């Protein structure tokens, strides 16, 4: 087996890299793939929290590179899905504790046993980013329809293009708010895609379910009803090479929205 | 009056839901435009002044051959795979006929020979500045250095030269209908890149 190493990166912090990682990883594993996630955000680890695995971590990636344990011992199995593993970051060390070469080496070893290796990249473009990208051959650039996030994504794309190992990169647009787009107060998906001229792999709507799912330590893809969950499942399908149409986020369903719509139409007529 | 009452009522109802309809008009376009400008600078190292200068020079050059809507000229850098492309889009108001083009060329030639003596020293210093700030940007610097050397050559040569220049540098696609007053979109694409390197440097 030779797995695909995909780095999930963004430049800017807080756009949803780790959430994306947890959800895509879970969705890929649920679809029957063997998946391992590597948290490279040394000192600021969070992927374990999102997966609800924080109490099960014994060894971290730093223990692996400093040879206090074997690579396999450091892999934490997911609660629900035995196909899903996590290699956690060390919380007490900084980004210099692991080098690019060491990460490359870990990825090479994991490739033999897993279909997908998802690398969760820290924010920024410094050493942490360089480390995370080192072992990967594909990248997913997470951004939101906000100026600062798009600008940082552009910079990340520039850096990825200068790396020979990265064969392809795709754009994932997170925290999209259809209502704001409709009222012309947020850049649309097309705007962002045009500005960054990158291929799109997913559009994830803003969803309060993300917060509650983090509280529970269970990725939102496991929630059948959640729209964001569905969008993440579609991303996983696209990664696997299946063609799935993008979700139509324009549907307005809730009663409050319908009332609002009624009033806005009324106002428009009055004007 | 009636509509004011309605609007107010509507706003009050909405504010119950924590929202207000009285927002600035279309902040999305504002964001897009600001982003485009800032990314262009991020990607190329061209300052707004240099961009404005490039724009001016392009307008000057192209308006010898076609009549266009100068204010609607759009200049964008786009990433196309490995290369960076300079996308130039100008709505053409009307295609010029041969006499007009010749007249424009002549006028430009005369202008240049007239002022070449006084100007040359100024221009040179400007060019140096330009090349210093962005060496990779061959487009602009080429153009200006050409102008410089042209000034010293005979006028006939110049006309030929600028003809060739335009033919090779720009592909202006245009419909046959020369005199149509309808606006046609002409897009010229100019790719000059050793730019991958420059991009690496930038990042």
């Amino acid at each position: 087996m030779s797995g695909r190493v995909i780095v999930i990166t963004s430049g800017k912090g807080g756009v949803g890299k780790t959430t994306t990682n947890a959800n895509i990883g879970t969705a890929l594993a649920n679809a029957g793939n063997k998946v391992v996630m590597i948290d490279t955000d040394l000192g600021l680890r969070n992927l374990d929290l999102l997966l609800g695995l924080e109490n099960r971590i014994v060894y971290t990636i730093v223990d692996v590179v400093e040879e206090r344990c074997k690579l396999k011992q450091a892999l934490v199995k997911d609660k629900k899905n035995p196909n899903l593993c996590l290699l956690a970051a060390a919380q007490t060390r900084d980004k210099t504790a692991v080098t690019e070469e060491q990460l490359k080496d870990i990825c090479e070893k994991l490739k033999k046993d897993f279909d997908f290796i998802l690398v969760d990249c820290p924010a920024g473009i410094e050493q942490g980013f360089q480390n995370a990208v080192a072992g990967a051959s594909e990248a997913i650039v997470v951004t939101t329809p906000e100026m600062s996030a798009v600008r940082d994504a552009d910079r990340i794309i520039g850096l990825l293009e200068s790396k020979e190992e990265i064969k392809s990169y795709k754009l994932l647009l997170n925290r999209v708010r259809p209502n704001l787009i409709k009222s012309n107060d947020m850049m649309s998906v097309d705007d962002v895609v045009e500005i960054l001229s990158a291929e799109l792999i997913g559009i994830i709507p803003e969803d309060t379910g993300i917060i509650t799912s983090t509280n529970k330590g269970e990725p939102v893809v496991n929630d059948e009803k959640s729209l964001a969950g569905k969008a993440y499942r579609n991303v996983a399908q696209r990664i696997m090479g299946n063609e799935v149409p993008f979700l139509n986020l324009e549907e307005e369903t809730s009663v409050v929205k319908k009332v609002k719509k009624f009033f806005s139409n009324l106002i428009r007529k009055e004007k | 009056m009636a509509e004011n009452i309605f609007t107010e009522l509507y706003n009050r109802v909405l504010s119950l839901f924590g929202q207000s309809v009285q927002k600035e008009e279309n902040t999305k376009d504002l964001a897009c435009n600001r982003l485009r400008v800032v990314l262009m600078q991020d990607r190329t190292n061209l300052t707004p002044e240099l961009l404005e200068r490039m724009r001016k020079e392009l307008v000057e050059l192209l308006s010898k051959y076609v009549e266009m809507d100068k204010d609607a000229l759009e200049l964008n850098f786009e990433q196309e795979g490995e290369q960076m492309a300079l996308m130039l889009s100008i709505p053409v108001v009307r295609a010029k006929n041969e006499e007009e083009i010749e007249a424009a060329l002549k006028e430009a030639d005369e202008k240049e020979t007239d002022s070449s003596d006084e100007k040359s020293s100024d221009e040179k210093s400007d060019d140096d500045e330009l090349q210093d700030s962005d060496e990779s940007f061959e487009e602009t610097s080429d153009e200006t250095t050409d102008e410089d050397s042209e000034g010293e050559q005979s006028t006939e040569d110049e006309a030929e030269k600028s003809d060739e220049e335009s033919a090779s540098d720009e592909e202006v696609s245009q419909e046959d209908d020369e005199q149509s007053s309808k606006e046609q979109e002409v897009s010229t694409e100019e790719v000059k890149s050793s730019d991958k390197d420059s991009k690496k440097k930038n990042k």
Side-chain angles (χ1 to χ4, degrees), chain A residues 147 150-151 154-155 158-159 161-162 184-187 191 194-195 197 256 260 263-264 267 270, chain B residues 3 6 10 14 17 23 26-28 32 34-36 38-39 42-43 79 81 196 200 202-203:
Chain A
M147 289 181 67
V150 174
R151 186 187 196 177
D154 186 68
R155 198 141 158 72
L159 288 173
E161 272 172 352
S162 70
N184 273 331
D185 285 323
M186 183 177 251
M187 280 184 276
D191 290 332
E194 192 214 307
I195 287 171
S197 51
V256 177
K260 271 190 202 168
F263 273 107
S264 349
I267 288 284
E270 282 291 324
Chain B
E3 63 187 58
F6 257 104
Y10 173 63
L14 268 195
F17 296 100
K23 279 179 191 155
N26 216 340
T27 54
K28 168 209 127 155
C32 282
R34 286 177 61 206
L35 247 180
R36 283 204 181 93
V38 97
L39 287 185
D42 285 357
R43 288 170 187 173
Q79 198 65 38
K196 209 191 165 190
K200 268 185 216 173
N202 294 345
K203 301 289 164 175

Side-chain angles (χ1 to χ4, degrees), chain A residues 74-144:
Chain A
L75 300 180
V76 184
K77 273 211 169 81
D78 184 55
K79 290 179 287 187
K80 283 188 173 168
N81 196 328
N83 281 334
L84 186 64
C85 287
L86 169 71
L87 179 55
Q91 182 67 349
T92 52
R93 302 289 290 273
D94 65 14
K95 310 283 188 258
T96 55
V98 179
T99 66
E100 292 180 37
E101 283 306 314
Q102 287 165 333
L103 231 134
K104 229 184 224 175
D105 193 45
I106 289 174
C107 288
E108 281 306 317
K109 281 178 186 157
L110 290 171
K111 266 186 194 176
K112 290 176 195 138
D113 297 319
F114 292 90
D115 299 305
F116 290 98
I117 297 114
L118 301 183
V119 185
D120 190 20
C121 178
I125 51 175
E126 294 83 17
Q127 196 52 48
F129 166 78
Q130 305 291 350
N131 287 349
V133 171
S137 54
E138 297 170 57
I140 292 178
V141 179
V142 182
T143 188
T144 67

Side-chain angles (χ1 to χ4, degrees), chain A residues 10-254:
Chain A
S10 73
K12 189 177 178 299
V15 295
K17 275 182 303 295
T18 307
T19 309
T20 298
N21 206 313
N23 281 290
I24 292 179
T26 307
L28 281 171
N30 288 348
N33 300 289
K34 289 202 77 181
V35 182
V36 60
M37 295 182 242
I38 308 178
D39 191 349
T40 64
D41 204 349
L42 300 181
L44 293 167
R45 79 173 183 210
N46 279 318
L47 191 51
D48 51 339
L49 274 183
L50 268 63
L51 294 163
L53 298 176
E54 68 275 15
N55 291 327
R56 302 194 183 190
I57 294 164
V58 183
Y59 296 113
T60 67
I61 189 167
V62 175
D63 295 318
V64 175
V65 299
E66 291 177 359
E67 296 183 342
R68 278 191 290 275
C69 70
K70 291 202 175 105
L71 179 55
K72 276 196 180 140
Q73 284 177 291
L75 300 180
V76 184
K77 273 211 169 81
D78 184 55
K79 290 179 287 187
K80 283 188 173 168
N81 196 328
N83 281 334
L84 186 64
C85 287
L86 169 71
L87 179 55
Q91 182 67 349
T92 52
R93 302 289 290 273
D94 65 14
K95 310 283 188 258
T96 55
V98 179
T99 66
E100 292 180 37
E101 283 306 314
Q102 287 165 333
L103 231 134
K104 229 184 224 175
D105 193 45
I106 289 174
C107 288
E108 281 306 317
K109 281 178 186 157
L110 290 171
K111 266 186 194 176
K112 290 176 195 138
D113 297 319
F114 292 90
D115 299 305
F116 290 98
I117 297 114
L118 301 183
V119 185
D120 190 20
C121 178
I125 51 175
E126 294 83 17
Q127 196 52 48
F129 166 78
Q130 305 291 350
N131 287 349
V133 171
S137 54
E138 297 170 57
I140 292 178
V141 179
V142 182
T143 188
T144 67
E146 288 159 81
M147 289 181 67
S148 45
V150 174
R151 186 187 196 177
D152 291 0
D154 186 68
R155 198 141 158 72
I156 287 290
I157 287 172
L159 288 173
L160 290 174
E161 272 172 352
S162 70
K163 299 215 174 284
E164 277 173 26
E165 313 87 59
I166 301 290
K167 302 284 181 266
S168 77
Y169 63 85
K170 303 244 167 80
L171 193 68
L172 186 136
L173 199 53
N174 202 9
R175 312 188 69 167
V176 172
R177 297 169 69 173
N179 288 341
L180 283 187
I181 291 176
K182 221 175 190 180
S183 63
N184 273 331
D185 285 323
M186 183 177 251
M187 280 184 276
S188 70
V189 176
D190 292 341
D191 290 332
V192 178
V193 170
E194 192 214 307
I195 287 171
L196 292 176
S197 51
E199 200 187 327
L200 200 62
I201 198 164
I203 308 164
I204 316 292
E206 173 95 336
D207 190 339
T208 48
I210 299 280
I211 297 171
T212 51
S213 79
T214 309
N215 293 347
K216 287 186 281 185
E218 191 174 299
V220 79
V221 277
N222 287 336
D223 180 356
E224 286 295 323
K225 286 179 207 153
S226 158
L227 196 59
K230 192 174 178 200
Y232 275 125
R233 287 195 292 276
N234 287 349
V235 174
Q237 287 297 321
R238 289 184 202 111
I239 291 174
M240 288 159 65
N242 301 324
E243 261 185 49
V244 188
F246 289 102
L247 287 182
N248 177 19
L249 302 176
E250 298 262 313
E251 293 160 287
E252 293 191 89
T253 39
S254 79

